[in-house]
Amino acid sequence: MSEQQDLPLTSTHWGTYRARVSNGRVQELLAFEQDPDPSPIGSGIIDVQDGPTRIDAPMVRQSWLEHGPGARTDRRAVDPFVQVSWEKANALVAEELNRVRRTYGNQAIYGGSYGWASAGRFHHAQSQMRRFLNCIGGFTASQFTYSFAAAEAMIPHVLGSFRAYLDSCTSWDSIRDNTRLFVCFGGVPLKNGQISQGGTGKHYQRQSLKDAGAAGIDFVNVGPLKSDLLDDVGGTWLAARPNTDAAILLGLAHTLHVEGLADLDFLKRYTVGYERILPYLTGAEDGAPKDADWAAEISGLSADTLRDLARRMARERTMISVSWSLTRQDHGEQPFWAAILVASMLGQIGLPGGGFGFGYSAMNYIGGRFNSLPGAAFPQKTNPVESFIPVARISDLLLHPGDQFDFDGVEYEYPDIRLVYWAGGNPFHHHQDLNRMRRAWQKPDTIIVNEWCWNALAKHADIVLPCTTPLERQDIALTPRDSYVVAMSKLTEPYGQARDDFEIFRGIAEAMGIGAEFDEGLDQSGWQRRLYDETGENSRAIGIEIPDYDSFLQQGWFKVDDPTEPIIMLGAFREDPEANPLATPSGKMELFSETVHGFGYDDCPGHPVWIEPYEWLGNADPRWPLHLISNQPKEKLHSQLDHGSVCKSAKIKGREPVVMHPDDALARGLQGGDVVRVFNDRGACLGGVTVDDSIRPGVVQMSTGAWFDPADPAAPESLCKHGNPNVLTRDKGTSRLAQGPTAHTCMVQIEQFDEELPPVTAHEPPKILRPVPGGQA
C-alpha cells in the first residue's frame, strides 16, 4: 500500500478523497485511488473550513431576541446577530417550538430540508430534522424534489413508478455494445455527472461517453447548449429553442405514425392508449397535425431534419435520453411522457441499448452497472401531521395560508405556518423569484436553521445553530446508487462551538423532555454501528456479504461486486409483461392515462401534449428578448462551496458568468469580461460576460449557485450584486398535476452595467454582537 493509501478517507456527493491532515487542519484532499476522473470540487472546502464565513456559535437575531417571535420580520438579513450559549439557544428553540405547537398545532411548523448537507448515512440533515420534529408531534412536510418534481408526479401514471426506473436506466456497457443512435434531449452534461447523492467512489460518465463514441455510436444533442455533450464523441447538435422538446418529440411521433414506422405489435402488447392519442397527433381533434413542419416552426429546427431523424430512429437501435432539466420548465411533465411515447412507437424498450433513459449524466450513477445495497437509514418515525406541500410551493405556502391548491388529482389547503425549521439545503438557492420569496419569508414568526456558513439562508434566519461539516465528523458513505462503501473519518475538530445535527437536535430534545425518545440511548457511534449492522442483515437476505463493522472501519472502504450482466431497463417487462406487470392500472405503459384524464386539468390532459409556455422565444415580449437557461454549475454542487477557491476562480470580477452568443453580445456592444445587468420585471442581477458560439442565438446561460447578495437587504426588491439567476425566474408550478418548479422558462434582457461596481458581500458574515467577557450570555 502506498503512503497516500494510508491517509484517512472522506466521501462527498462529488467524490471520495484521501485527506492530508497536519496541525489539526485538512491541508489537502487527494483523489481516491479507485477514481480515474476525480471532481475538482472537493478542494474548494479547504480554504473555507475555517475563517470568517463559518458560524462559530449559536446566534439569535437581535430584534427577535429582544422583542420575541414575530418581531420586525422585515429586518431579517438586516439586524445584527447576538451570540448566545448553547444552553440559551436550546431553551429558546424549545420554548418557541412548544409555543407554536400548543397555540397553533404542529401543522404550523414547516420542516424544510433538501438532503444534500452530507453524503454520510447517519449525518443526513433531513433525516435528523424529520426524526426530531416527529418526536414532538410532527410538522408540515414537502414532497418531491426541485430536480424533477414534474416527473415524480407524472411518470408513476405512465410506468407505475419513477424512482424505480430512474435508478435502473440501461447501463452504459449495454449502450456501448448495442446502441447505434443516441438521441439526448438536454445533452449528457458531464458537469452534472460529477455528483451522486449519498457519495460516489468512482466517476465513470466521461469514460462511458468516450467508449460509446469510440464504438461508433452517433450522438444527437437536442437543445440550446452545445456544451451539454462532450466534444470527444462528435455528434450532431440540433440547437432547438428552449422549452420545445415536447413539440419536437410529437413531431417525431407524427412522422413515425404517418410513414408506417411505428411498431404496432409492441404498442398492442406493452402499452395502452395509443389510439387515444392519434386524434391529437394527426390533427383530427383540433385541425393542427403535430407533424414535422408544425414542430419545426415551434422549435426552430428544420422539418426535413426532424423527419430524417425519426426515420433513423426507426431504422437503428436507438436510445432516447431526456435530461432532468426538461422537467423544470412550464408544463415540464410533457417531455418525459412524449419521450416514452416515441420510444414505445419505436418498439425497442427492454432491448439491449434501446428504449429511453432519464438523464444520462444527470448524476454519476445514471447508467451504472452495480448491485444496490439495501442500506438502513436513520429512522424518522411517523409524521402524524397530514398537511404537506409540493416542494417548490414554499412561497405560496407562506403567502397564502388557507388557500386551496391542486396536486396529483387532489385538492389540498395550505396551512398557516408560524415557524420554519430548516436543516440542510438552501432555499435562497433552490427557489424561484427570490424577491417574492423574501416577502414570503417575512410571514412566519420564527425561522430556525442549522447551518455551517453565513449564506443567505443563515442571514435571513432568527435563530442560527452552527453545525459541523463532513470533515468534522465520522460517518458512513453508503448509498444504493454506488458500489463503494466508505468509512468517513473525522479529520479535524469542529470549528468553534459547532455541533453535529444529531447533537443539535438531541440538545433541544433534552430541553423539551424527549431526549430518550430521540436518541434511544445511543450516541453517534452507537447509531452508526446499528445502521451498518442492519445493512449487513438486509444484504445477507439478498445474498450479498459485507465486512463486519470493525473490519470495515479498519480497512476504510470496500466495493460491492458488480452484477455479471448489463442492466436493461424494463427488460423483464418486455420478456413477459404478464408475469412482470407495471404498477399501473393496466399493468402496461399508459401512453394515455385515464387517471390523469379524469383529473380534468387543462394544463395536463390525459396524454402527452405541447402547450405554449407562459414566456418563450416563440412569443417573446420585446422588453425581454433573451431566454435564460439557469442550469447546474460545474464548480460546485448547487450553492455548496460557492465561497471556495475552485468556484471563485471561475467568476468574472467576482460575479457569476453569463454565456452569450457572439451575435447577442455584439448587438448590445458587449465583450467578454464585461459586467452586465441581467433583468426582467421580476428582478435583476449582475453577471460577467463570456462570449461563446456554442450557445443558440437568443439564449443566454447563467448557472445557479451564486449566493444571493442583495444590494440593499432592507429593500423588498433589490439587485443581486453577485449573480443569482433565481431573482429572475418565475415562481409558478409546472401544472396542477405536479406543481414542480419552472426555472427554465424565463425571458430576460441584458445591458452593460455602467455604474461603479458594488462590492460582493455574499461571503461576508453579518454584524455579530459578542458577549462581554465575564458578562451574562
Side-chain angles (χ1 to χ4, degrees):
M1 181 181 290
S2 69
E3 178 184 352
Q4 180 173 325
Q5 291 176 336
D6 287 331
L7 297 175
L9 283 163
T10 191
S11 192
T12 69
H13 299 298
W14 47 83
T16 297
Y17 301 89
R18 296 279 182 182
R20 199 178 299 280
V21 182
S22 64
N23 299 320
R25 278 182 52 90
V26 178
Q27 304 293 337
E28 189 176 11
L29 291 176
L30 305 169
F32 181 42
E33 60 270 15
Q34 295 287 307
D35 193 350
D37 186 26
S39 169
I41 292 175
S43 60
I45 196 172
I46 294 175
D47 296 331
V48 296
Q49 178 69 18
D50 303 325
T53 57
R54 284 301 300 268
I55 304 169
D56 62 353
M59 301 285 177
V60 183
R61 185 171 64 86
Q62 186 179 33
S63 292
W64 193 99
L65 184 63
E66 294 177 350
H67 304 292
R72 294 304 308 271
T73 58
D74 60 324
R75 297 282 297 175
R76 289 181 177 132
V78 180
D79 274 346
F81 283 87
V82 180
Q83 178 181 336
V84 300
S85 67
W86 271 109
E87 182 181 12
K88 175 77 167 179
N90 288 340
L92 289 172
V93 173
E95 181 181 348
E96 177 60 358
L97 285 167
N98 281 331
R99 180 189 75 88
V100 170
R101 65 195 186 113
R102 289 170 182 167
T103 306
Y104 304 103
N106 278 70
Q107 76 281 353
I109 300 170
Y110 178 73
S113 179
Y114 207 54
W116 283 103
S118 171
R121 195 72 178 171
F122 174 69
H123 292 293
H124 181 245
Q126 185 183 81
S127 298
Q128 296 282 346
M129 182 200 70
R130 289 182 174 178
R131 177 181 176 86
F132 166 73
L133 292 177
N134 286 335
C135 283
I136 64 169
F139 63 103
T140 293
S142 63
Q143 284 194 17
F144 297 158
T145 70
Y146 281 86
S147 295
F148 39 57
E152 288 180 280
M154 183 74 257
I155 298 306
H157 293 293
V158 184
L159 300 180
S161 172
F162 175 62
R163 290 282 181 171
Y165 303 111
L166 180 70
D167 293 348
S168 61
C169 288
T170 296
S171 54
W172 274 112
D173 51 354
S174 177
I175 292 169
R176 177 198 64 209
D177 295 340
N178 299 281
T179 304
R180 304 315 324 141
L181 180 63
F182 192 107
V183 183
C184 43
F185 289 81
V188 184
L190 283 178
K191 62 182 177 58
N192 294 14
Q194 295 179 88
I195 311 301
S196 205
Q197 192 171 38
T200 189
K202 177 181 179 180
H203 290 88
Y204 50 79
Q205 292 292 334
R206 185 184 306 274
Q207 191 58 52
S208 297
L209 266 173
K210 287 184 174 182
D211 290 347
I217 297 173
D218 287 337
F219 283 83
V220 178
N221 174 20
V222 184
L225 304 178
K226 185 175 185 290
S227 60
D228 276 341
L229 183 64
L230 183 67
D231 284 339
D232 291 6
V233 304
T236 301
W237 177 34
L238 301 184
R241 285 172 170 167
N243 290 197
T244 63
D245 311 276
I248 294 168
L249 285 157
L250 289 167
L252 298 174
H254 185 278
T255 298
L256 295 174
H257 172 69
V258 299
E259 296 191 7
L261 300 175
D263 188 333
L264 299 181
D265 290 337
F266 181 92
L267 290 166
K268 182 177 180 180
R269 186 175 186 194
Y270 298 100
T271 77
V272 296
Y274 177 62
E275 70 286 348
R276 301 283 299 276
I277 301 174
L278 292 180
Y280 171 78
L281 194 65
T282 62
E285 179 179 282
D286 58 7
K290 311 308 178 292
D291 57 16
D293 296 288
W294 170 86
E297 184 176 355
I298 292 170
S299 66
L301 301 177
S302 157
D304 287 342
T305 297
L306 295 179
R307 289 191 183 92
D308 289 344
L309 179 60
R311 293 162 186 154
R312 282 195 65 195
M313 293 169 77
R315 188 169 62 245
E316 303 178 48
R317 184 61 57 86
T318 299
M319 174 60 71
I320 301 172
S321 174
V322 281
S323 167
W324 295 359
S325 63
L326 304 187
T327 69
R328 300 193 297 275
Q329 57 180 278
D330 198 18
H331 313 296
E333 296 84 1
Q334 303 308 318
F336 276 30
W337 203 355
I340 295 170
L341 167 64
V342 172
S344 298
M345 295 174 74
L346 296 176
Q348 301 177 19
I349 295 171
L351 295 177
F356 61 91
F358 297 131
Y360 284 92
S361 200
M363 284 195 198
N364 184 58
Y365 74 87
I366 303 291
R369 180 161 66 90
F370 49 83
N371 283 311
S372 294
L373 279 185
F378 187 55
Q380 299 177 14
K381 296 183 174 287
T382 300
N383 184 0
V385 173
E386 295 182 355
S387 62
F388 73 95
I389 61 165
V391 68
R393 302 272 56 82
I394 178 67
S395 292
D396 288 348
L397 167 71
L398 299 179
L399 288 169
H400 302 296
D403 279 11
Q404 306 294 311
F405 68 95
D406 289 308
F407 178 64
D408 203 12
V410 181
E411 187 176 74
Y412 299 93
E413 181 178 302
Y414 291 122
D416 185 5
I417 298 299
R418 297 299 178 126
L419 184 148
V420 172
Y421 201 130
W422 215 285
N426 177 6
F428 286 85
H429 158 74
H430 287 294
H431 201 65
Q432 285 66 61
D433 196 347
L434 290 181
N435 286 319
R436 180 174 188 260
M437 196 186 86
R438 290 179 73 205
R439 294 192 293 273
W441 212 244
Q442 296 178 15
K443 296 296 183 178
D445 296 340
T446 302
I447 295 173
I448 306 168
V449 304
N450 296 0
E451 189 52 83
W452 70 280
C453 53
W454 283 112
N455 58 21
L457 172 63
K459 291 176 181 178
H460 283 81
D462 298 311
I463 301 175
V464 182
L465 305 178
C467 62
T468 54
T469 72
L471 303 186
E472 298 166 345
R473 56 197 181 219
Q474 179 179 314
D475 210 340
I476 306 166
L478 189 162
T479 170
R481 299 183 177 96
D482 197 85
S483 55
Y484 288 85
V485 180
V486 178
M488 299 168 58
S489 300
K490 180 179 178 180
L491 303 172
T492 182
E493 291 301 312
Y495 180 79
Q497 298 179 39
R499 293 181 175 180
D500 303 336
D501 287 297
F502 176 76
E503 299 298 341
I504 291 174
F505 288 120
R506 182 157 69 166
I508 302 167
E510 289 173 351
M512 299 180 76
I514 56 159
E517 182 179 354
F518 177 76
D519 67 22
E520 296 185 19
L522 295 176
D523 61 11
Q524 296 184 39
S525 61
W527 269 109
Q528 290 176 44
R529 180 179 292 274
R530 172 172 155 179
L531 296 180
Y532 187 91
D533 289 346
E534 288 179 3
T535 298
E537 293 175 11
N538 298 339
S539 299
R540 283 190 293 276
I542 60 172
I544 299 176
E545 288 289 337
I546 66 174
D548 66 78
Y549 187 56
D550 292 320
S551 299
F552 164 62
L553 292 180
Q554 184 175 7
Q555 64 193 50
W557 66 274
F558 67 88
K559 181 179 182 295
V560 181
D561 290 340
D562 295 332
T564 57
E565 297 295 327
I567 295 171
I568 311 297
M569 189 167 79
L570 291 165
F573 170 68
R574 184 187 182 103
E575 183 177 345
D576 191 338
E578 287 75 31
N580 303 291
L582 304 184
T584 58
S586 65
K588 300 182 179 182
M589 292 184 286
E590 304 220 341
L591 306 182
F592 183 102
S593 170
E594 290 286 359
T595 301
V596 174
H597 174 69
F599 295 158
Y601 296 153
D602 57 357
D603 56 0
C604 189
H607 60 82
V609 295
W610 186 79
I611 303 174
E612 185 173 8
Y614 51 72
E615 56 191 55
W616 67 301
L617 284 171
N619 189 22
D621 186 321
R623 297 175 299 166
W624 330 118
L626 301 172
H627 195 120
L628 172 67
I629 299 294
S630 51
N631 59 359
Q632 294 296 323
K634 61 182 177 181
E635 298 88 8
K636 57 199 167 199
L637 166 58
H638 301 314
S639 65
Q640 289 188 52
L641 302 184
D642 178 65
H643 56 325
S645 56
V646 174
C647 193
K648 281 189 172 182
S649 68
K651 296 183 186 290
I652 297 174
K653 297 180 182 176
R655 327 288 157 164
E656 194 68 22
V658 184
V659 180
M660 304 182 69
H661 189 274
D663 293 349
D664 294 320
L666 181 64
R668 291 161 179 77
L670 301 173
Q671 56 187 354
D674 286 346
V675 174
V676 293
R677 176 173 171 261
V678 188
F679 63 101
N680 58 22
D681 55 355
R682 292 181 285 269
C685 66
L686 300 183
V689 171
T690 295
V691 180
D692 194 334
D693 63 3
S694 66
I695 189 170
R696 190 189 196 280
V699 178
V700 295
Q701 178 265 319
M702 190 178 198
S703 293
T704 60
W707 285 7
F708 179 54
D709 193 19
D712 182 1
E717 296 184 5
S718 181
L719 171 80
C720 177
K721 303 176 293 181
H722 191 203
N724 187 321
N726 271 326
V727 299
L728 305 161
T729 53
R730 185 177 175 186
D731 186 12
K732 173 193 174 295
T734 51
S735 78
R736 287 186 286 163
L737 181 92
Q739 297 286 1
T742 56
H744 287 315
T745 301
C746 180
M747 301 297 292
V748 301
Q749 178 60 289
I750 293 180
E751 64 183 13
Q752 182 90 43
F753 187 75
D754 293 325
E755 303 173 29
E756 181 179 349
L757 275 182
V760 174
T761 54
H763 303 143
E764 295 179 7
K767 182 179 179 180
I768 297 172
L769 305 178
R770 304 283 185 180
V772 177
Q776 187 174 1

